[in-house]
């Protein structure tokens, strides 16, 4: 006969199993368990931000007024923060210069510490460095860990010196705006290493030298503005590789020579502004192949010969400025059928013949049509009837002036390049700029 203990032993084991399984796991109460991060900033990042603000703005005592810069509901003006995968809040955008953003004090200089904010994506300095001279000088090793996508410094009269080649280390940069400062020197060839660049604006500085051929390496580029500098040489042939380029402004430089052979490959180009350059060549027929062009400005640049008939294929053109050149021959007849044209300035050239525009075209453009300063041009009497807005030409076969503007005498025709100013601003160009690159 078996002992009663033989039957009770398995039962005891079963009861022991259930007892042990009911005890809480040691891992849930371990002192080494990972703590949840606070809803705030890393102390090191906050300290970097305080140093930047202390050096830039004296609007208030930032450490006292805003001890938690990214805290929801009490964040600083001119700052944007986002929560990272680590649970902490990180600075992603900074704005300086105009209210409600922090204004800059007279002693403010460029804060290189911004490149130590690892999550910063956009930074803007507008009318910020106005008294104390400062430069963009920064060592490359400070830039490698930067996530910066947009760097904008505009209207800073005390920002001087060259564009540092080290800027090419900002590998994530998409928009670089260094406009209306006092930068000098050449455009560094290393700018071609910024392969993610969509917009490049270096306008209104004192840059010299040629446009580097490495600009053709910027395959993502949509906007290029190098206007109002002192750039020399010709447009590099490599520009033809910029297949996405929609806006190019090179006005008010010292560029010369022929246009790139591959100009016709820029099939995305909508705005081309190149007034005020001593070109002294015939107008290239390739412009007529750029069918997306909406604005073409080539004034005051010494272009000679006739207006290419291919220009009549630009059915999307709204603005054409060819004033103050040395153009000869007749106005292409098909210009009158450009249905989108709104601004047309052919003044101060040597054009002749009958103006090929009907009264409907003349009334539609009104004061936005300027043909003055072409003593060989005249207006068909039948089309002149009922047109009250002067276009600056005489009526054919008559010594009487058929407009409110007196015709320019032959002795007043242009003898060279004169500085001219359009009566209508480049509204379309600015519209595209802000559409592509809103602040």
């Amino acid at each position: 006969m078996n002992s009663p203990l033989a039957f009770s032993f398995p039962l005891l084991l079963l009861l022991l199993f259930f007892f042990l399984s009911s005890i809480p796991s040691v891992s849930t109460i371990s002192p080494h368990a990972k703590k949840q991060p606070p809803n705030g900033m890393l102390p090191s990042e906050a300290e970097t931000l305080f140093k930047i603000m202390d050096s830039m703005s004296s609007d208030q005592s930032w450490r006292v007024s805003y001890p938690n810069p990214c805290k929801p509901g009490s964040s600083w003006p001119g700052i944007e923060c986002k929560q990272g995968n680590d649970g902490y809040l990180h600075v992603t955008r900074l704005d300086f210069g105009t209210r409600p953003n922090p204004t800059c004090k007279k002693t403010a200089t460029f804060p290189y510490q911004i490149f130590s904010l690892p999550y910063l994506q956009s930074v803007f300095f507008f009318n910020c460095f106005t008294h104390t001279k400062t430069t963009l000088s920064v060592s490359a090793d400070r830039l490698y860990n930067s996530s910066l996508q947009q760097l904008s410094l505009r209207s800073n009269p005390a920002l001087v010196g060259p564009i540092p080649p080290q800027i090419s280390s900002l590998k994530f940069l998409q928009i670089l705006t260094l406009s209306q400062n006092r930068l000098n020197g050449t455009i560094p060839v290393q700018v071609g290493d910024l392969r993610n660049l969509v917009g490049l604006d270096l306008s209104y500085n004192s840059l010299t030298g040629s446009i580097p051929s490495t600009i053709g390496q910027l395959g993502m580029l949509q906007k290029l503005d190098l206007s109002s500098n002192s750039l020399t040489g010709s447009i590099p042939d490599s520009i033809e590789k910029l297949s996405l380029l929609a806006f190019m402004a090179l006005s008010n430089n010292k560029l010369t020579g022929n246009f790139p052979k591959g100009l016709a490959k820029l099939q995305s180009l909508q705005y081309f502004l190149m007034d005020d350059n001593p070109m002294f060549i015939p107008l290239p027929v390739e412009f007529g192949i750029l069918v997306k062009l909406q604005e073409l400005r080539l004034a005051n640049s010494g272009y000679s010969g006739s207006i290419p008939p291919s220009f009549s294929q630009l059915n999307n053109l709204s603005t054409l400025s060819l004033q103050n050149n040395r153009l000869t021959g007749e106005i292409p007849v098909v210009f009158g059928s450009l249905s989108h044209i709104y601004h047309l300035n052919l003044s101060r050239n040597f054009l002749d013949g009958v103006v090929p525009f009907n009264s409907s075209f003349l009334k539609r453009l009104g004061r936005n049509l300027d043909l003055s300063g072409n003593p060989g041009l005249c207006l068909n009497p039948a089309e002149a009837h009922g047109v009250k807005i002067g276009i600056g030409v005489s009526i054919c076969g008559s010594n009487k002036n058929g407009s409110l503007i007196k015709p320019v005498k032959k002795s007043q025709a242009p003898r060279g390049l004169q500085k001219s100013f359009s009566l209508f601003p480049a509204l379309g160009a600015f519209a595209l700029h802000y559409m592509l690159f809103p602040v």
Side-chain angles (χ1 to χ4, degrees), residues 129-341:
F129 310 116
T130 57
H131 291 79
T132 305
K133 286 188 177 181
T134 185
T135 68
L136 290 176
S137 181
V138 63
S139 58
D141 58 346
R142 288 184 175 273
L143 307 179
Y144 286 127
N145 295 323
S146 174
S147 303
L148 206 60
Q149 298 177 18
Q150 183 165 3
L151 176 60
S152 177
L153 295 103
R154 291 192 300 119
S155 301
N156 297 285
L159 183 60
V160 300
I163 301 171
Q166 296 90 338
I167 205 166
S168 62
S169 297
L170 296 171
K171 299 299 183 183
F172 297 100
L173 203 61
Q174 296 179 18
I175 298 176
L176 177 59
T177 301
L178 303 176
S179 178
Q180 301 173 50
N181 303 300
R182 292 187 179 177
L183 299 173
N184 54 38
T186 60
I187 301 174
V189 296
Q190 291 86 351
V191 74
D193 294 332
L194 296 171
R195 301 300 175 88
N196 291 310
L197 215 57
V198 175
L200 177 61
D201 186 351
L202 308 179
S203 62
Y204 292 91
N205 283 289
S206 300
L207 300 175
T208 56
S210 59
I211 302 172
S213 61
T214 53
I215 210 91
Q217 299 171 187
L218 304 177
M220 304 293 291
L221 202 65
Q222 297 178 35
K223 177 198 172 184
L224 175 64
D225 192 346
L226 306 178
S227 57
S228 296
N229 283 288
S230 296
L231 299 174
T232 55
S234 58
I235 303 173
D237 289 335
S238 62
I239 207 90
E240 69 179 40
K241 299 177 183 178
L242 304 182
S243 59
L244 300 179
L245 194 65
F247 179 102
M248 179 157 55
L250 305 173
S251 299
N252 197 24
N253 278 290
K254 300 176 182 179
L255 299 173
T256 57
N258 294 316
F259 282 88
K261 296 178 181 179
L263 178 66
K265 295 181 180 180
L266 299 178
Q267 286 298 307
S268 297
L269 199 61
Q270 299 177 42
Y271 296 83
F272 186 82
L273 303 109
M274 198 176 168
D275 301 305
D276 301 295
N277 283 280
M279 297 298 288
F280 296 102
I281 58 173
L283 288 173
V285 297
E286 288 82 3
F287 276 119
I289 304 174
L290 303 178
V291 294
K292 291 186 178 180
L293 270 181
Q294 297 181 35
E295 194 162 319
L296 180 59
R297 294 179 176 270
L298 301 170
N300 198 46
S301 298
Y303 292 105
S304 58
S306 60
I307 300 173
S310 62
F311 279 33
S312 301
Q313 301 173 30
L314 300 176
N315 292 318
N316 291 307
L317 203 63
S318 62
T319 296
L320 178 61
S321 298
L322 299 176
Q323 69 268 24
N324 206 31
N325 284 298
R326 299 178 174 183
L327 300 174
T328 57
E330 299 182 349
I331 300 172
V333 175
V334 191
F335 268 25
S337 60
L338 294 175
S339 58
H340 290 90
I341 199 78

Side-chain angles (χ1 to χ4, degrees), residues 94-115:
L94 289 173
D95 285 82
F96 295 94
T98 56
R99 297 188 183 279
N101 301 320
T103 60
C104 302
K105 54 188 179 183
K106 293 182 178 181
T107 57
T109 57
F110 181 73
Y112 62 83
Q113 297 98 329
I114 62 170
F115 300 117

